[in-house]
């Protein structure tokens, strides 16, 4: 007896969400490290404050100011989690701001392998200031960066994010040089490696443009709804 299954009309959406999950798996350790590290510092500072509070002759204003700075840093790291809330509001932000956020999230993982993530130098054309939905662009940017950094052909010395060829809403991510001594990217348990076809599918799902070739990828940002 042959059993037939109905067509999974949601399959493309599930596939796109799977690609997003693979990108999240690469970004989340950085956010977790930032939050856990700051909590450790604050716990140690609380112990110091408790001891000094017993000595009324020693002012605590400097230590309290440090605690406020730590709280602000912790709050900033926690707010980064909103970028992975698919149901949350996605207000348009300047492209350059989203690129900087992508750099903050991707650089630590690349640096562990001796790779650099670079933005345009002051002598080069600046990144666009066009305001576009941040979450889709951030996801695709991180995907493009890790796609090039994890290339089966070998890791590049650096990955650069530059203005793209299609106007103010376009970005180009390109690999430069060869990091001959860099270790290969550690595989993500239970997940296949990122590839250009998977990111093209995700871009289509997010309403963005995507082009890629050996050592480069270009993203046309989705327009605000």
């Amino acid at each position: 007896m042959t059993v037939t299954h109905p067509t999974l009309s949601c399959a493309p959406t599930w596939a796109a969400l799977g690609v997003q999950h693979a990108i999240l798996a690469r970004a989340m350790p950085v956010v977790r490290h930032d939050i856990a590290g700051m909590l450790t510092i604050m716990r140690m500072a609380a112990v110091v404050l408790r001891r000094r509070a017993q000595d009324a002759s020693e002012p605590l204003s400097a230590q309290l100011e440090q605690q406020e700075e730590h709280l602000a840093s912790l709050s900033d790291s926690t707010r980064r989690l909103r970028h992975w809330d698919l149901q949350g509001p996605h207000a348009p932000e300047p492209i350059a701001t989203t690129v900087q956020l992508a750099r903050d999230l991707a650089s630590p993982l690349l640096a562990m392998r001796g790779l650099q993530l670079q933005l345009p130098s002051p002598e080069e054309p600046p990144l666009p200031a066009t305001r576009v939905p941040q979450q889709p662009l951030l996801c695709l940017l991180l995907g493009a960066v890790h796609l090039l950094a994890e290339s089966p052909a070998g890791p590049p010395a650096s990955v650069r994010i530059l203005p793209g060829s299609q106007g103010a809403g376009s970005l180009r991510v390109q690999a430069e040089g060869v990091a001959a001594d860099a270790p290969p990217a550690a595989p993500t348990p239970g997940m296949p490696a990122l590839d250009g076809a998977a990111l093209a599918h995700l871009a289509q799902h997010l309403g963005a443009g995507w082009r890629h070739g050996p050592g480069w990828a270009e993203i046309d940002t989705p327009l605000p709804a």
Side-chain angles (χ1 to χ4, degrees):
M1 178 179 178
T2 302
V3 179
T4 58
H5 298 280
T7 302
L8 294 176
S9 59
C10 295
T13 300
W14 280 113
L17 291 174
V19 179
Q20 284 185 307
H21 180 64
I23 296 170
L24 171 62
R26 290 161 171 80
M28 192 53 64
V30 176
V31 179
R32 181 200 61 78
H33 178 271
D34 289 347
I35 293 175
M38 194 53 59
L39 284 173
T40 299
I41 293 174
M42 292 181 68
R43 281 196 296 266
M44 295 172 62
V47 173
V48 174
L49 280 173
R50 188 180 303 111
R51 291 175 178 173
R52 291 185 175 178
Q54 298 173 0
D55 184 358
S57 64
E58 187 171 0
L60 301 178
S61 58
Q63 286 72 31
L64 290 173
E65 288 178 2
Q66 287 182 346
Q67 282 289 71
E68 289 179 354
E69 292 175 359
H70 296 156
L71 280 171
S73 178
L74 179 62
S75 176
D76 181 64
S77 295
T78 304
R79 279 197 298 269
R80 289 183 178 182
L81 296 174
R82 75 184 188 277
H83 298 296
W84 309 107
D85 179 7
L86 301 182
Q87 303 301 320
H90 304 305
E93 296 286 347
I95 289 177
T97 300
T98 304
V99 170
Q100 184 61 57
L101 178 58
R103 184 188 185 189
D104 293 343
L105 288 170
S107 288
L109 196 59
L110 269 63
M112 291 176 62
R113 301 169 56 211
L115 312 184
Q116 295 183 330
L117 180 54
Q118 299 178 332
L119 304 185
S121 66
E123 295 77 22
E124 295 177 305
L127 293 166
T130 309
R131 301 177 74 91
V132 301
Q134 189 171 61
Q135 196 270 351
L137 176 58
L138 177 63
C139 197
L140 289 170
L141 264 178
L142 290 173
V145 168
H146 290 299
L147 172 70
L148 300 182
E150 299 171 11
S151 171
S158 66
V159 177
R160 302 190 71 204
I161 304 177
L162 304 166
S165 62
Q166 302 299 313
S170 175
L171 289 172
R172 181 180 179 88
V173 185
Q174 67 183 36
E176 296 185 351
V178 178
D181 298 329
T188 305
M191 288 189 189
L194 286 172
D195 60 44
L199 288 168
H201 178 76
L202 175 60
Q204 182 180 18
H205 174 74
L206 295 174
W210 171 270
R211 297 172 298 281
H212 73 280
W216 65 273
E218 284 205 355
I219 302 166
D220 297 333
T221 57
L223 297 175

